[in-house]
Amino acid sequence: NIEFLGRIDHQVKIRGFRIELGEIEAVLSSHPHVRQAVVIATEDTAQTKRLVAYAVSEKENLSSQQLREFLQQQLPAYMVPSAFVILDTLPLTPNGKVDRNALPAPDGDIERVREYVAPRTEIEQILANIWQELLLIERVSIHDNFFELGGHSLLAVRLVSQIEKQFSLHLPLATLFQSSTIEQLAIFISADPATGKLWSPLVPIQLKGSLPPFFCVAGGGGNVMYFHELAQCLGKDRPFYGLQAQGLDGETQPLESVEEIASQYIKAIETVQQVGPYFLGGHSFGGKVAFEMAQQLQRKGQVAYLTILDTTAPVSQLDRLDDPSNRDHAESICDAAVIVEELIGKNLSISYEDITALTLDEQVSYFKQRLEMVGFLPPQTDIKLVRGFLQVFRVQGQINYAPLDTSTVPITLFRAQETDSQQENSSDLFQDLAWGWNQFSDREVEIYTVPGSHISMMTKPHVQVLAQQLQKSLNKAQKHQLETSNAQTTEK
């Protein structure tokens, strides 16, 4: 029998990233007013790991916010601790080493640039209690931002689930983009918004900026929540809108063709930008939808840019070795489980043999139970959240899309560096650098390879490289579009 006691090198894994705590300690110790620093990983009740930093300061009024900003300038976001504790001295063992077990738990009293404002209403107090439990902090101001306090897309799922239990209100995850403080969220809940508006396909993720907005279509499962980090890394001068699938509410039926989805999304983006030129993109399945949107819009000459994020060109189902339209519900759920496992960094232990004999409702319930068992969903979460994701994922996986025309819009393809070896060998498309997109474009496809896998390329630290290259590509397309427009004006 082997008992695993842990690592002696203080390496931990958080949200799928391996982190050497000593690296964070070294950077924190380089702060001019920090004499000593220690970083540890703690677990909450849902077994979610968080980083906590302890510092001995040479400056009396050194704040947690100053330390956080110092680390944010030198480390990727996933390596910045969610809590800071400033001590007079570090506890030591009898032989003079830092006693990590004796370090005090963070009291959660966050140093703020904004003034602390306590909850004023019953709704604000309930929300504050939820935030405190999820973010492991003792006191939350109604003006604090969920994402600035360490919230991320995985915690957002648990937050929305808790809100649903408390207020019987079925909210999309995307609500947090525009209502990211307790005050905003309380106003939103009090307003009792219409369900149809809640689940609009167009989701404003980042509204600031003077540059043309970027419209990006979500991949399999149709949820735009994972675009948060990409929008953030593109900067505050580039408005960013996500396009999410119909059916995520677990009640309405998902659209069953790429053409229908593209048409719906075009109507949605025209509500914020009536005419082009449009800058479009899509990840995974969303890349094919973005291509079809460009097809429909190019007839009006309104597309300036189209980027495909890690997906192959459309092919006939007859050319596929594995036709997804023939898969049953159990196979689709197993495929969805693989994606979710990579996103949350936990094994759901779902096998085809375990669920194939169950009814569809039982399969969905089983999937939900597994998410609850690993602590991703709180107990008694409304099953609509899970059903909506699974039904959109299955319908999208069955769609056969055959474009009618080639694109007159230049195509830019971003490929993930870590391509699945089995996937590479399964199709001739993967032997082509452009993954088949050249046959659908009247000019050569521009190709970039970015670090990460199909999923991790969209998360930090890899998404920072993607965003940097994407921003250059967008700026290049914008410059070309302006030059073309000026030339046409001169000719007239």
Side-chain angles (χ1 to χ4, degrees):
N1 295 323
I2 298 176
E3 182 181 356
F4 178 67
L5 300 178
R7 301 181 66 102
I8 62 172
D9 59 358
H10 303 305
Q11 186 182 98
V12 297
K13 189 173 183 180
I14 296 180
R15 294 177 59 202
F17 299 110
R18 290 205 175 276
I19 298 171
E20 180 61 58
L21 298 180
E23 293 182 26
I24 307 174
E25 292 172 351
V27 175
L28 189 55
S29 297
S30 70
H31 189 286
H33 300 303
V34 172
R35 188 166 67 249
Q36 288 177 286
V38 173
V39 178
I40 65 172
T42 62
E43 285 190 352
D44 62 13
T45 54
Q47 297 182 327
T48 299
K49 285 189 174 69
R50 306 288 179 83
L51 296 176
V52 180
Y54 297 83
V56 176
S57 173
E58 295 178 341
K59 184 180 178 183
E60 187 173 336
N61 60 346
L62 182 66
S63 70
S64 298
Q65 185 63 28
Q66 288 173 316
L67 295 179
R68 186 187 303 277
E69 291 174 352
F70 178 77
L71 291 183
Q72 286 174 337
Q73 293 172 1
Q74 303 187 57
L75 294 173
Y78 68 92
M79 292 181 72
V80 177
S82 58
F84 292 81
V85 180
I86 299 175
L87 303 173
D88 294 329
T89 59
L90 294 175
L92 303 176
T93 62
N95 56 6
K97 294 184 178 181
V98 175
D99 188 353
R100 293 173 180 265
N101 294 326
L103 290 167
D107 61 10
D109 190 12
I110 296 181
E111 300 278 355
R112 295 178 172 81
V113 175
R114 308 180 188 90
E115 180 183 356
Y116 171 78
V117 179
R120 302 159 300 185
T121 67
E122 183 180 0
I123 292 178
E124 288 181 349
Q125 186 60 63
I126 292 172
L127 290 173
N129 292 340
I130 296 173
W131 283 35
Q132 287 162 192
E133 179 183 351
L134 290 179
L135 298 169
L136 298 181
I137 52 181
E138 188 174 296
R139 192 173 69 161
V140 181
S141 169
I142 63 170
H143 296 146
D144 284 335
N145 185 289
F146 176 74
F147 297 105
E148 291 176 0
L149 292 184
H152 47 76
S153 58
L154 305 185
L155 276 180
V157 176
R158 294 169 60 192
L159 173 59
V160 168
S161 298
Q162 293 284 16
I163 290 174
E164 188 160 25
K165 286 171 62 177
Q166 292 288 338
F167 300 102
S168 299
L169 184 60
H170 186 37
L171 295 179
L173 294 174
T175 304
L176 294 176
F177 288 132
Q178 296 306 305
S179 300
S180 53
T181 70
I182 286 177
E183 181 182 48
Q184 293 169 340
L185 201 50
I187 292 172
F188 187 87
I189 292 171
S190 300
D192 191 20
T195 302
K197 187 177 180 181
L198 280 182
W199 296 91
S200 167
L202 186 68
V203 179
I205 298 177
Q206 204 289 108
L207 291 176
K208 298 178 182 177
S210 58
L211 296 174
F214 180 55
F215 299 95
C216 198
V217 185
N223 200 302
V224 300
M225 196 68 197
Y226 72 109
F227 284 157
H228 173 254
E229 291 183 344
L230 177 59
Q232 187 181 51
C233 291
L234 278 176
K236 293 185 178 180
D237 204 29
R238 174 75 64 183
F240 191 113
Y241 291 85
L243 289 156
Q244 68 180 2
Q246 178 176 301
L248 287 174
D249 58 1
E251 296 175 347
T252 55
Q253 184 64 27
L255 297 179
E256 297 184 354
S257 76
V258 167
E259 291 83 358
E260 283 183 289
I261 298 170
S263 177
Q264 183 191 63
Y265 288 175
I266 289 172
K267 291 176 182 177
I269 68 175
E270 286 176 341
T271 63
V272 295
Q273 185 182 341
Q274 292 184 354
V275 295
Y278 295 104
F279 292 75
L280 307 175
H283 175 240
S284 191
F285 172 81
K288 295 179 175 64
V289 178
F291 177 82
E292 175 59 28
M293 291 173 68
Q295 292 286 88
Q296 295 182 23
L297 285 167
Q298 77 178 0
R299 295 159 198 159
K300 306 175 185 178
Q302 293 185 346
V303 182
Y305 181 80
L306 171 63
T307 188
I308 307 295
L309 301 177
D310 205 54
T311 193
T312 57
V315 294
S316 168
Q317 301 287 24
L318 295 175
D319 299 329
R320 302 183 73 140
L321 296 177
D322 180 20
D323 184 351
S325 65
N326 293 329
R327 295 186 178 184
D328 60 23
H329 288 282
E331 287 178 299
S332 176
I333 288 175
C334 290
D335 291 341
V338 172
I339 293 175
V340 173
E341 286 173 342
E342 186 169 358
L343 282 170
I344 68 177
K346 295 182 178 180
N347 189 355
L348 298 181
S349 300
I350 296 177
S351 69
Y352 180 81
E353 292 74 19
D354 289 338
I355 64 175
T356 185
L358 302 178
T359 65
L360 176 58
D361 287 342
E362 289 172 340
Q363 290 173 355
V364 175
S365 296
Y366 183 83
F367 190 90
K368 172 177 170 288
Q369 289 167 8
R370 301 306 303 180
L371 291 173
E372 292 173 347
M373 287 180 66
V374 299
F376 180 65
L377 290 181
Q380 300 176 335
T381 297
D382 193 317
I383 202 166
K384 289 179 183 177
L385 184 69
V386 178
R387 184 193 298 125
F389 165 72
L390 290 177
Q391 71 178 8
V392 170
F393 184 86
R394 173 170 169 76
V395 169
Q396 289 182 345
Q398 292 179 314
I399 292 176
N400 183 18
Y401 172 53
L404 296 177
D405 303 305
T406 57
S407 174
T408 58
V409 180
I411 296 176
T412 303
L413 172 65
F414 286 88
R415 296 175 29 159
Q417 195 171 43
E418 302 169 18
T419 304
D420 187 294
S421 58
Q422 291 182 345
Q423 192 180 38
E424 273 191 353
N425 297 328
S426 67
S427 171
D428 291 337
L429 280 178
F430 288 97
Q431 311 308 316
D432 171 23
L433 287 177
W435 283 356
W437 285 108
N438 275 325
Q439 64 179 306
F440 293 107
S441 177
D442 63 354
R443 65 197 79 181
E444 194 74 15
V445 171
E446 194 169 357
I447 305 167
Y448 297 96
T449 301
V450 293
S453 66
H454 185 67
I455 301 297
S456 67
M457 68 181 284
M458 305 297 291
T459 60
K460 292 179 180 177
H462 303 318
V463 73
Q464 293 166 311
V465 179
L466 169 62
Q468 185 179 30
Q469 189 57 61
L470 178 58
Q471 188 68 282
K472 290 179 181 177
S473 185
L474 284 164
N475 290 340
K476 178 181 175 182
Q478 184 182 350
K479 181 181 178 181
H480 176 74
Q481 185 270 324
L482 286 172
E483 291 173 348
T484 303
S485 178
N486 292 336
Q488 292 174 345
T489 302
T490 303
E491 288 177 6
K492 291 180 181 179

